[in-house]
Amino acid sequence: MTATDHAFPAAQDPCSAPGHGARLLRLDEALARVLGEIVPVADLETVELRAALGRVLAVAVHSEVEVPAHRSSAMDGYACSALDLPGSGTAALHIVGTSWAGRPYAGAVNRGQCVRIMTGAVLPEATDTVVMQEHVRLEGTSAVIEAGYRAGQNVRAVGEDMRRGALAVAAGTLLRPAQLGLLASLGVGRVAVRRRPRVAIFSTGDELRPLGEPLAPGQIYDSNRHALHGVLTRLGVEVIDLGNVADTREDTLRAFEAAAAQADAIVTSGGVSVGDADHVTDILHRHGQVGFWKVAIKPGKPIAFGRFGGAYFFGLPGNPVSALVTFYQLVQPAVRALQGAADADPPILLRATCESRLRKQPGRLEFQRGIFSRLPSGAYSVRSAGHQGAATLLSMSDANCFIILPLEQGDVEPGSEVEVQPFAGLC
Ligand code: AMP
Ligand code: MG
């Protein structure tokens, strides 16, 4: 397990005392605390290049080769010596052969001669310039070149893209297809990556039923576990699904213990308020450590962060929209930190003109669900995705962004400028 051993200092923690303090934490304070606690997974694995997609590089890769390894042509055209380029008028150079990509021209090239050359092909020794084929007129076995070419044009020098020993990909990089291509271009077939974090999830609630079972009065389907499984999978962690847990102290404690025994982090939903059936925060208080459990955001005010055993713990609210909002804002950056890729997703925020009237009470930072689009002018416009209730998954499903309304903000009138955070493929 990767969690360090120190407890949260109570003095710094207005929310950890019994009674849970009065002040709500601001989201940025809460996030800073989470990120201040997380230590990345330390274990390394060496994997095949393709299997490294979405993984975090553990050891920097420096190039062991020059790229390109040979002087080569950047164009299809004719390779010649700059000494034969005409200063004015034209010059006819005799074509003595062809240099193909992967099949260099082996013969000599003398003054007054040139070689047909393809993009990526090695430049014959006595040549230093490539004239694009579009700038050449063929006359029999000669290429007629116009004036205006400079020595060295359209030639890629050895090591021009990367010198031997240069840093190719830094440790801590979340590997995307571009990095896989780059590493392959250097001949690197296996890379050292950090182990994928193991994240255990469970839902709490007597009312929850798994899919496929009929619902008795008052029961609902356990939707959070599916949404959380989705976002965690997209982040590239190993998800351990521990199902849903009844609202008893014993069952909840057992689930905590099972989760902590196998996972680096635990993400639960429900049971974090102060209702009689809410055991999560209480168990965290008694058997783990609580970092905070109230953050001034809407939806999602009660959210628990802490430690249980060796695992980090995130207790998300039960309402499905609240669970996704708090996941997006707090757990996502924590997962990236746990992966060792804290800088992988800098937040993308856009300014947009709001077409809808939005209701908002000052006091909490709000994440309303919106649908944004780009206008022909290039500016962005956003409208409400519909009913904003914390349980209304339809508006979350229809949305493509959060409309972020600051703490002190009141109602928003149509035509106002607002800040928008695109889901960026996660929700
Ligand atoms: P709680 O935070 O446990 O008080 O739950 C708040 C609301 O979210 C209640 O209406 C729950 O029924 C609902 N809820 C809790 N967990 C889930 C879940 N896993 N899937 C769907 N709804 C849930
Ligand atoms: Mg509940």
Side-chain angles (χ1 to χ4, degrees):
M1 297 301 107
T2 55
T4 52
D5 281 337
H6 65 278
F8 295 92
Q12 284 176 23
D13 186 359
C15 303
S16 70
H20 309 308
R23 192 168 82 86
L24 298 182
L25 273 184
R26 288 198 324 265
L27 178 63
D28 59 329
E29 295 173 311
L31 186 57
R33 289 219 203 158
V34 171
L35 297 180
E37 284 295 322
I38 301 236
V39 177
V41 168
D43 312 338
L44 309 188
E45 302 169 354
T46 300
V47 298
E48 297 287 337
L49 187 62
R50 285 189 180 187
L53 183 66
R55 305 288 298 267
V56 175
L57 191 67
V59 180
V61 176
H62 293 82
S63 179
E64 292 185 5
V65 294
E66 305 272 1
V67 182
H70 306 279
R71 240 173 19 131
S72 55
S73 177
M75 297 282 177
D76 292 329
Y78 294 83
C80 64
S81 161
L83 299 173
D84 282 328
L85 292 170
S88 59
T90 58
L93 303 180
H94 182 56
I95 305 166
V96 294
T98 302
S99 184
W100 303 91
R103 236 180 327 134
Y105 171 74
V109 184
N110 299 316
R111 290 294 308 273
Q113 297 182 336
C114 69
V115 161
R116 171 90 174 113
I117 194 163
M118 308 303 165
T119 305
V122 173
L123 239 68
E125 210 164 287
T127 68
D128 56 15
T129 303
V130 173
V131 180
M132 270 171 78
Q133 68 182 33
E134 290 84 343
H135 296 162
V136 165
R137 189 163 39 84
L138 289 180
E139 264 176 23
T141 55
S142 290
V144 178
I145 297 169
E146 311 235 327
Y149 259 77
R150 278 181 290 103
Q153 245 177 301
N154 301 323
V155 173
R156 297 171 68 212
V158 170
E160 178 180 298
D161 293 346
M162 185 157 311
R163 303 311 312 255
R164 182 180 284 117
L167 176 65
V169 186
T173 303
L174 185 69
L175 296 172
R176 293 176 287 112
Q179 279 95 30
L180 300 197
L182 173 60
L183 291 165
S185 78
L186 306 178
V188 175
R190 293 168 70 77
V191 286
V193 293
R194 287 185 192 263
R195 173 173 67 73
R196 291 197 297 160
R198 289 187 279 265
V199 181
I201 55 175
F202 63 87
S203 305
T204 70
D206 286 338
E207 73 280 28
L208 303 178
R209 280 294 164 271
L211 299 181
E213 290 189 9
L215 297 180
Q219 295 184 332
I220 59 171
Y221 289 115
D222 177 359
S223 64
N224 286 347
R225 219 153 28 89
H226 298 281
L228 291 175
H229 187 276
V231 281
L232 285 165
T233 301
R234 282 213 160 156
L235 287 176
V237 306
E238 189 184 323
V239 185
I240 302 166
D241 186 348
L242 297 177
N244 61 281
V245 173
D247 282 322
T248 69
R249 152 176 286 287
E250 298 69 36
D251 286 355
T252 312
L253 180 57
R254 227 175 296 131
F256 264 86
E257 286 167 349
Q262 341 174 31
D264 302 292
I266 307 168
V267 179
T268 68
S269 72
V272 285
S273 302
V274 289
D276 293 341
D278 294 333
H279 300 292
V280 169
T281 324
D282 191 47
I283 285 176
L284 204 59
H285 270 293
R286 286 171 199 258
H287 303 278
Q289 294 126 37
V290 181
F292 56 78
W293 75 293
K294 280 185 178 173
V295 181
I297 59 173
K298 184 180 176 187
K301 182 171 68 174
I303 161 174
F305 168 65
R307 292 277 176 79
F308 187 90
Y312 300 105
F313 178 84
F314 299 87
L316 308 183
N319 268 314
V321 177
S322 310
L324 275 177
V325 168
T326 48
F327 184 95
Y328 198 100
Q329 303 302 334
L330 276 167
V331 187
Q332 172 184 210
V335 167
R336 287 294 186 223
L338 194 56
Q339 289 172 317
D343 301 326
D345 311 301
I348 298 168
L349 299 172
L350 308 174
R351 306 291 304 175
T353 305
C354 189
E355 293 167 19
S356 314
R357 174 168 284 112
L358 306 178
R359 305 206 38 204
K360 157 96 169 59
Q361 301 226 321
R364 285 199 266 163
L365 177 65
E366 237 178 89
F367 294 89
Q368 300 207 1
R369 275 69 66 207
I371 300 168
F372 82 100
S373 56
R374 192 164 177 269
L375 302 172
S377 67
Y380 291 99
S381 137
V382 69
R383 61 194 163 87
S384 169
H387 182 58
Q388 295 288 332
T392 309
L393 271 174
L394 183 62
S395 60
M396 187 74 207
S397 164
D398 287 343
N400 62 5
C401 67
F402 292 122
I403 303 172
I404 305 182
L405 303 176
L407 205 86
E408 62 285 357
Q409 165 95 47
D411 291 346
V412 173
E413 295 303 321
S416 312
E417 225 189 43
V418 290
E419 192 165 65
V420 153
Q421 182 179 36
F423 289 162
L426 190 65
C427 293

